Structures are given as C-alpha cells and as structure tokens.
Amino acid sequence: MTTTTEKLNELKARLRDVADLNSVGAVLHWDQATYMPPGGAVARGRQMAVVGRIAQELFSDLATGRLLDELRSYEESLPYDSDDASLIRVARRDYEKAVKIPPDFLSAFYEHSATSYQVWTEARPANDFARVRPLLEKTLDMSRRMADFFPGYDHIADPLIDFADYGMKAADVRKVFAELREALVPLVRTITSQEPADDSCLKKHFPEQQQLAFGRKVIERFGYDFSRGRQDKTHHPFETKFSTGDVRITTRIKEDDLGYGFFSTTHESGHALYEQGVNPSFEGTPLNEGTSSGVHESQSRTWENLVSRSRPFWEHFYPQLQAAFPEQLASVPPEAFYRAVNKVQKSLIRTEADEVTYNLHVMIRFELELQMLEGRLEVRDLPEAWHAAYEADLGIVAPSDVDGCMQDVHWFGGHIGGAFQGYTLGNVMSAQFFDAALAAHPEIPSETGRGEFGALHSWLKENIYRHGRKYTASELLNRVTGGGLDIAPYIRYLRGKFGELYSL
Ligand code: ZN
C-alpha cells in the first residue's frame, strides 16, 4: 500500500521532470531567438520538437492520470488554496487538456512553428509575404485542428483563447472589447485632432551601450534581480524562465529612437518581476509561472506604462538620463520630454503604440484571428484585410506587409487564435491592480518620484506574483479588487492622464 505522501511525492517527481524538460525547450528557444546562427534552424526545430514530445508524453502518461485520481480525496480534504490542493488541481486541469492532444500532432506543430519562425525572420525584412504564406496556411489549418481536439466549444477560437487566458471565451472578449472601443474611439479622435506632441528629442542619436546601461539601471531599481536573470538582444523581445533562479529578458535597440529600446526593456522587466516573484517552493510544478497571458501582460504594462511613462518616474530619472546623454538632452525641458514619451498618434506598430491607441491594434488582430478561424478570411487575403482594418480604425495604411500583417511574431511562431487578447485584458487589469495597490499604499507615486519602488513591488509580490498559477485570473481579480474584469479604472486612468496632457 502506498501512502498519500508517497503518491504525492511520485506526482511531484513526475511534474518536476516535465518542468525540467519544458525548461530545456525554453533554453533552446531562447538560444534560437538570441545567438543561434541561421544555419541551426532546421536542426533546432527538430530538437525543440523532440524535447516537447518527450515532455508531453511523460505528462500525459496514464500514470499521471492515475496519481491525480488517487490524490483526489486528499485534495478535497484540504483548503482550496493550500499549496498541495492547488498543485493537484492545476496539474489535473493541464492533464485533462494535454491528453486530448495527440503527441504526434504536437511535435509536428512544434517543428512547424520553429520553421515558420525562422522563415519569418528572413521574409519579414524582405517584405516577402508570399514566402510565409504557405507556412501561415499550415498554421491556420493546425490551429483549427488544435481547437477541434476540444469539441463542444461555442466558437472555434475558444479552446485557443483558453490556453492563454483560462476561462475566457471569444464572446467574453468581444464584449469587453466592444465596451472599450466605445470609450476609446472618441478619446483617440479628440486627442489626434489636436497638435501632436513633439517627440523629436527621442529621435536623436543615442549610442547603444549607454541606452542598455540606463535601461539596466532602471530595471534593477524596480527590483529585477540580475543574479537570477540576464538581458540579451533579439528581434522580438520576450521574457523566459528556466527556473526560479534564472528568469531572462531580451530587448532591442535603435540608436535613433530612445523610446524603442527603453520601453521594451521596462515592459519585459515587468514580466520578469512577476516570474522572479513566484513562490520559490513552486519550482518544478505547474504552479511556477504567471497565471494567464492577461495577468502577465498586466504586469509588463504596469512597469512599462503606469510606472515608466508616469510624471513622478521622470521627475526622478530624467536628470539621470540627461546626464547619460548630455549632448542630446541637456536643452530639452522635462515637460517636453514627458510629453514626448506620451505622444499619442495613429501609428502602424503595436509594440510602439501609445497607451491610448494601443488597444485598437489588438482589437484588429483579434478580429482577424476570429475571421481566419471561422473561415471567413483566407490567409492569402490577410495582407489586404489588415490594411483595410487599419484604414478603418486608425485611418492609416502601412506601405508594406513588414509593418502590416508580418509585424508580430505570434502567428509565425505559434497558433492563430488566442495570441492577442491578453494584451488588452492586461491593460484593463493593470489599472484595476494598480488602483488596489494605490489604495493600500498611497505613497507609491511619491516613492516613484524618488526612484524607489519598494511599496509597489512588495504589494505586487504579495498579492499577485507569489501565487503563480494557484489562482486563475478571475480568482485573482476577485481576491484583489472584490470584483471581476472592469474597464472603468483603465478608462479613468487614460482620461485623467491624457486629459492633463491634452485638452479633453
Ligand atoms: Zn508583454
């Protein structure tokens, strides 16, 4: 007779092996996106596929299911939020999903994604949509098949959205997006009908090394722990976790655009602060990461926008930035700089978009994903549909597909479906969480003005980070705010901040 403790230990040992294999896959991906020469692409695709397949086979093995069954009564004897009950609950949720996906399909999908990603990195600078088109068609086909492993959905995107933002469906997202659109469109119209902010002070020559040094200094102040992380350069910045002790970020730099690299760095540091803050005892379990794409994004946007684009932040850091770049910035007054980093404009690139127009970029992508999955939009018509949507929503059209449908990595390295809604859900939640943090610590803005982030970082660690995946996004929102997803705080924040900058 095996005891409950023995069974739990057996489950934990198995989950640790799965987590370690997934980390091996993450290292391979990090290397692919940072230092790997292009010649490594084909073999790397195969290597990532085999590691992914072994992890999947080990996790979805019948033995995992048997242990989860045998531990059900133990789980039910514990409080919902105890570590063991949460571990078993979340592992079971993942297991029930994993067993529905045939291992052969999954490894084929990994391999396809790696090839598609590599081709995209070459085709994008060449503006060669024709080259990625057949790969994207295969991605769409595989995304549909992936959804069909989860029959009974209301919308074919639902299972794919659920992977990223557990518990959300296309209809829920559409509802939130419609409410937001109603508030945002007039705001964008009012602001962009005024004289645009002058951001020429950001477009001077800023040498890469000084930019990197300044970014490092700032995120270290936030609390990003470089003894448990590092920063490298890539095309499309991301954060990745190999273990509690190794949470890395990547960034990119343009020497003629100061904001490009800096806000990408603070953005990714927000993701990394979340991962570095997860309870270390969750290492090797499915609890050891952020709980959803939306909550993750709420944290990157907190540090990128609510903090790094705020007035108190620059009150402290602008003199230091001027000291780092005296030639470029000595004659630029602080107010002019603050307006420049908060310039609102109708633009083409999501990752560089300002806070007011950003969500319109996300809504365009989300709708295109749904249309492709529904079969209402063919991949070959995607470039035109993209341009038409930008024309309709933002009144501008990209001169090429580089800044059109080829600008984001998501569809070229993962599914079509579920890839984008998290960004906007994250913006909405960031304001909800930040309001709660401010209510608990009204001193946060004055601390920020001194370049100190202890109260904010500790509050986030205590209320969000340490829980990892123990709570779902809606449980977390409920614990923190006493309610559900609510756009009101976010709209209030935008109206307050941009109302002061522009006449609204
Ligand atoms: Zn992000």
Side-chain angles (χ1 to χ4, degrees):
M1 253 267 311
T2 26
T3 65
T4 297
T5 312
E6 281 165 344
K7 282 173 192 156
L8 186 63
N9 287 338
E10 200 185 328
L11 178 70
K12 284 181 176 172
R14 180 172 278 269
L15 294 175
R16 176 172 291 269
D17 286 349
V18 173
D20 282 342
L21 284 164
N22 286 331
S23 295
V24 170
V27 177
L28 293 177
H29 172 261
W30 170 84
D31 176 68
Q32 179 189 45
T34 50
Y35 297 109
M36 189 190 79
V42 175
R44 182 54 48 89
R46 208 175 52 231
Q47 292 154 357
M48 285 163 65
V50 71
V51 174
R53 190 182 69 231
I54 296 170
Q56 156 89 353
E57 280 170 1
L58 185 62
F59 182 60
S60 55
D61 191 281
L62 288 175
T64 312
R66 199 178 57 240
L67 285 166
L68 288 168
D69 280 345
E70 289 168 353
L71 287 163
R72 196 182 285 271
S73 58
Y74 171 62
E75 178 197 350
E76 283 164 0
S77 74
L78 299 168
Y80 180 83
D81 62 354
S82 81
D83 289 356
D84 280 353
S86 301
L87 167 69
I88 298 166
R89 178 177 68 250
V90 173
R92 180 179 293 111
R93 188 199 304 155
D94 290 349
Y95 177 78
E96 285 169 359
K97 275 191 177 179
V99 292
K100 293 193 171 129
I101 309 168
D104 287 350
F105 174 86
L106 200 66
S107 58
F109 184 74
Y110 285 139
E111 199 164 341
H112 167 69
S113 298
T115 310
S116 171
Y117 171 79
Q118 191 60 39
V119 172
W120 170 76
T121 61
E122 294 159 17
R124 183 175 180 245
N127 188 33
D128 191 355
F129 182 74
R131 198 166 158 218
V132 291
R133 186 184 131 187
L135 292 160
L136 204 54
E137 281 167 347
K138 188 170 172 187
T139 303
L140 178 59
D141 176 56
M142 293 185 101
S143 302
R144 284 210 188 98
R145 284 168 60 201
M146 180 66 99
D148 284 335
F149 295 132
F150 301 86
Y153 50 69
D154 297 330
H155 189 285
I156 187 168
D158 288 352
L160 303 168
I161 293 171
D162 196 79
F163 283 134
D165 291 289
Y166 175 74
M168 294 294 284
K169 293 179 172 191
D172 306 320
V173 178
R174 273 184 161 147
K175 185 167 166 284
V176 177
F177 282 15
E179 286 173 22
L180 260 181
R181 179 181 282 272
E182 207 166 303
L184 287 174
V185 168
L187 193 60
V188 171
R189 196 179 305 128
T190 313
I191 294 175
T192 55
S193 66
Q194 297 175 40
E195 183 69 21
D198 174 7
D199 63 351
S200 58
C201 62
L202 303 174
K203 313 290 181 184
K204 299 173 180 177
H205 182 78
F206 297 93
E208 175 170 313
Q209 286 315 313
Q210 283 103 301
Q211 284 198 49
L212 286 169
F214 181 74
R216 279 181 66 102
K217 188 166 75 177
V218 167
I219 64 176
E220 223 162 2
R221 292 300 290 266
F222 288 169
Y224 178 69
D225 179 358
F226 273 97
S227 74
R228 298 189 292 134
R230 56 178 284 134
Q231 179 176 251
D232 297 86
K233 287 192 340 176
T234 190
H235 291 288
H236 204 295
F238 60 95
E239 167 274 326
T240 184
K241 183 181 202 173
F242 305 151
S243 67
T244 303
D246 191 350
V247 179
R248 302 188 186 189
I249 54 176
T250 57
T251 194
R252 56 184 183 186
I253 299 288
K254 272 187 191 169
E255 292 200 320
D256 59 357
D257 187 345
L258 186 61
Y260 185 80
F262 179 72
F263 293 109
S264 149
T265 298
T266 56
H267 178 99
E268 297 308 329
S269 82
H271 286 301
L273 288 168
Y274 190 179
E275 293 295 341
Q276 285 190 333
V278 174
N279 184 343
S281 75
F282 292 168
E283 174 107 301
T285 79
L287 301 179
N288 192 28
E289 59 177 330
T291 194
S292 74
S293 147
V295 175
H296 234 298
E297 199 63 13
S298 77
Q299 294 316 298
S300 55
R301 301 291 275 176
T302 293
W303 293 96
E304 176 195 358
N305 291 333
L306 304 179
V307 174
S308 303
R309 285 187 217 262
S310 74
R311 205 179 270 286
F313 176 87
W314 288 111
E315 276 163 13
H316 178 79
F317 283 105
Y318 188 56
Q320 296 183 29
L321 188 69
Q322 283 180 308
F325 300 105
E327 241 173 76
Q328 299 88 330
L329 296 175
S331 64
V332 179
E335 184 62 22
F337 184 82
Y338 176 67
R339 290 184 69 86
V341 298
N342 286 295
K343 180 179 182 175
V344 175
Q345 62 187 333
K346 295 177 173 181
S347 65
L348 295 169
I349 312 292
R350 174 185 62 85
T351 57
E352 296 164 44
D354 58 82
E355 292 178 82
V356 184
T357 57
Y358 185 92
N359 299 295
L360 298 178
H361 294 259
V362 174
M363 292 175 193
I364 288 172
R365 288 155 177 75
F366 182 72
E367 271 308 316
L368 291 172
E369 283 193 315
L370 297 192
Q371 288 175 22
M372 284 191 280
L373 288 165
E374 289 166 11
R376 287 193 287 134
L377 174 64
E378 301 282 342
V379 167
R380 67 162 181 271
D381 299 326
L382 177 63
E384 278 317 303
W386 184 286
H387 295 315
Y390 266 79
E391 170 90 77
D393 281 10
L394 287 153
I396 46 170
V397 174
S400 70
D401 298 326
V402 180
D403 295 332
C405 67
M406 288 169 77
Q407 74 174 259
D408 291 301
V409 64
H410 307 63
W411 295 335
F412 303 96
H415 300 124
I416 292 176
F420 289 102
Q421 75 287 329
Y423 292 109
T424 286
L425 298 177
N427 283 331
V428 171
M429 284 190 267
S430 72
Q432 292 188 263
F433 290 140
F434 201 73
D435 271 7
L438 280 175
H441 296 282
E443 74 277 18
I444 286 173
S446 57
E447 270 201 13
T448 302
R450 295 194 301 272
E452 289 164 19
F453 303 94
L456 176 61
H457 188 205
S458 309
W459 186 92
L460 291 169
K461 249 198 313 210
E462 175 64 23
N463 291 281
I464 298 172
Y465 300 172
R466 73 185 170 95
H467 299 306
R469 288 179 74 208
K470 180 182 272 193
Y471 302 111
T472 65
S474 63
E475 286 169 350
L476 203 56
L477 267 178
N478 198 270
R479 280 174 61 91
V480 171
T481 69
L485 196 65
D486 177 10
I487 68 164
Y490 180 58
I491 296 300
R492 201 161 47 231
Y493 158 74
L494 288 179
R495 287 198 179 126
K497 175 173 178 178
F498 292 92
E500 190 225 6
L501 279 163
Y502 294 86
S503 33
L504 297 184

